[in-house]
Amino acid sequence: MNLEITPPRALRGITRVPGDKSISHRAAMLGALAEGDTRIENFLMGADCLATVKCLAEMGVSFTGPDEKGRLTVHGRGPAGLKEPENVLDAGNSGTTIRLMLGILAGLPFFTVITGDASLRRRPMKRVTAPLSRMGARIWGRQGANLAPLAVRGGELQGGSFSLPVASAQVKSALLLAGLSARGETRVVEPAPSRDHTERMLQYFGAEIYKEGLTVTIKGGQVLAGRRVTVPGDISSAAFLMVAAAVVPGSDVTIREVGINPTRDGILEVMRAMGADLEVINRHQLGGEPVADIRVRHSRLRGVTIGGELIPRLIDEIPVLAVAGALAEGELEVRDAAELKVKESNRIATVVEELRKFGVEVEALADGLRVRGGRPLTGTSCTSHGDHRIAMAMAVAGLAARGKTVIQDAGCVDVSFPGFASILSSLRVD
């Protein structure tokens, strides 16, 4: 599917974005491990989260839904209710599914094979499989259990202390999920903060979990209880609308009930530093997660330097921030973001390749990129590289470019933001 974008006169209105992808994954997984029903509202109906549901269903978890409104009920029977799957589990393109599922499978006393699409089979898994093997799981796979397909024989885990070389919510989450079924305590120490949705949701489901600075500890053998979960709007999806409103003249867009978890709100900090006219209003809580409405109006942006501990808080938003940098005054520089090379695409290379087609002066760095702003963008034909965030970032560039832009292979947008094109259309003023 191709996506055609023409520049509007402005973007205006009030809208919502789909449920948070990270929280949707975790709600389904913890609901499956809990005893009793977990009723989820605003579950993200994207391909990644549906892959998680399908994997759990293959292990005997019963679901009602999800329906078109994102209502999903997980009929949990505890870890004992999960059974050895007859088929190979397919995580599709979802790194969250395969890495967090490895943490669950490590603690289950049966044999499982899990894989994904061609892109996922190229993504590194040793950062998860190595510490899980230290806990007692037996894991086999290509390149010494670094690449999927991966075979897991779980059960009989022993907790321990793990210092992560890089901040990673997926690795931390996998170890905490394994720690639920391990003997003793499992302690994870990070070099910098990463997303804490797993810790928050484990507590919400009744687990005792302790956090002190950059160390998180969970005791094994705990029983989770089903809960009602309302998933906030995904700030990573909202980021595309936020940047679009900031760069398209005359725009004024409000996005309702967006998750503003402090481990995810780096996009707000950077946009403010760039001079965006941005308000965060109506702050409240949903299921242990902070949410708010975000209003963005067009403004003149300036380039900034992004790096260090800020990167884990906005790693998924860097492609669209590169677009913001292309339309800002001065230079945007991103450092300490080598993790971008092992996402759904090599996002450093793909952002550089596609932005150059718009006439942007941009260069790849070893651990990031540099964008020189201030030059008008010209509409072009570009490709998604099968990466949902690249497709949407280029769509935002197209909104601010002269002439028509065509994004090829844009169907991947549905991975995280089903209805993206329709929402853009609803905000257009022509």
Side-chain angles (χ1 to χ4, degrees), residues 29 33 56 59 82 100-108 174 177-178 181:
M29 290 181 183
L33 294 172
L56 293 169
M59 291 192 291
L82 277 66
L100 271 62
M101 198 65 69
L102 285 168
I104 293 173
L105 296 174
L108 297 174
L177 290 171
S181 57

Side-chain angles (χ1 to χ4, degrees), residues 42-205:
N42 201 34
F43 183 83
L44 174 61
M45 298 288 286
D48 280 14
C49 295
L50 293 176
T52 288
V53 170
K54 185 178 178 183
C55 287
L56 293 169
E58 290 280 359
M59 291 192 291
V61 180
S62 177
F63 295 91
T64 301
D67 62 18
E68 68 282 353
K69 294 184 178 179
R71 293 175 296 204
L72 173 69
T73 300
V74 190
H75 304 290
R77 292 184 294 161
L82 277 66
K83 62 180 180 64
E84 185 171 277
E86 296 180 4
N87 300 309
V88 172
L89 301 183
D90 185 0
N93 188 239
S94 176
T96 302
T97 300
I98 193 169
R99 292 190 177 118
L100 271 62
M101 198 65 69
L102 285 168
I104 293 173
L105 296 174
L108 297 174
F110 50 68
F111 179 81
T112 313
V113 178
I114 187 166
T115 190
D117 67 9
S119 170
L120 191 63
R121 293 196 303 272
R122 292 191 295 268
R123 296 175 68 179
M125 299 294 152
K126 196 68 173 274
R127 62 184 70 179
V128 175
T129 61
L132 290 177
S133 296
R134 281 177 50 198
M135 294 179 75
R138 287 175 286 169
I139 306 176
W140 302 266
R142 294 184 299 136
Q143 293 186 7
N146 185 44
L147 299 178
L150 295 163
V152 183
R153 177 74 194 189
E156 297 296 320
L157 300 184
Q158 177 64 52
S161 184
F162 302 90
S163 294
L164 306 188
V166 296
S168 169
Q170 292 181 354
V171 178
K172 175 178 63 176
S173 298
L175 293 173
L176 293 174
L177 290 171
L180 262 182
S181 57
R183 294 188 298 270
E185 292 185 342
T186 299
R187 183 178 298 104
V188 184
V189 185
E190 293 190 285
S194 69
R195 299 179 183 186
D196 68 352
H197 300 305
T198 301
E199 299 96 298
R200 287 173 181 264
M201 192 165 287
L202 279 166
Q203 286 182 320
Y204 186 63
F205 274 73

